[in-house]
Amino acid sequence: MAKDPKKTLGASEFRKVAVSSLTNAPKVLGVTKDGVRILKPKGKATHFSTKEIRDAISTVRAAKRA
């Protein structure tokens, strides 16, 4: 059974798609010990401000140290 040529991508077409998707790559905020990248979200937070999130994280980290 032959493949439908309209549904398959050639190597040059695939390369164009891959390169164009890299230009809109999200910003990497950090990398964990095991190599997992933490990406910046595309949108803004709707329920919490950035300051509230940072305060919550610092509180949790301080409690973990104690």
Side-chain angles (χ1 to χ4, degrees):
M1 182 172 201
K3 291 184 179 180
D4 185 10
K6 294 178 186 175
K7 292 183 180 179
T8 59
L9 289 176
S12 62
E13 292 173 9
F14 177 74
R15 206 172 298 123
K16 288 177 191 174
V17 171
V19 170
S20 67
S21 66
L22 291 177
T23 58
N24 295 329
K27 182 179 177 183
V28 176
L29 297 178
V31 180
T32 61
K33 291 179 184 177
D34 57 351
V36 176
R37 293 183 203 149
I38 301 171
L39 304 178
K40 181 178 179 182
K42 290 184 178 183
K44 292 184 179 180
T46 56
H47 300 296
F48 304 100
S49 68
T50 304
K51 184 181 181 313
E52 289 174 327
I53 295 170
R54 287 185 184 169
D55 290 343
I57 291 171
S58 64
T59 303
V60 170
R61 286 183 176 172
K64 185 177 179 181
R65 283 188 216 127

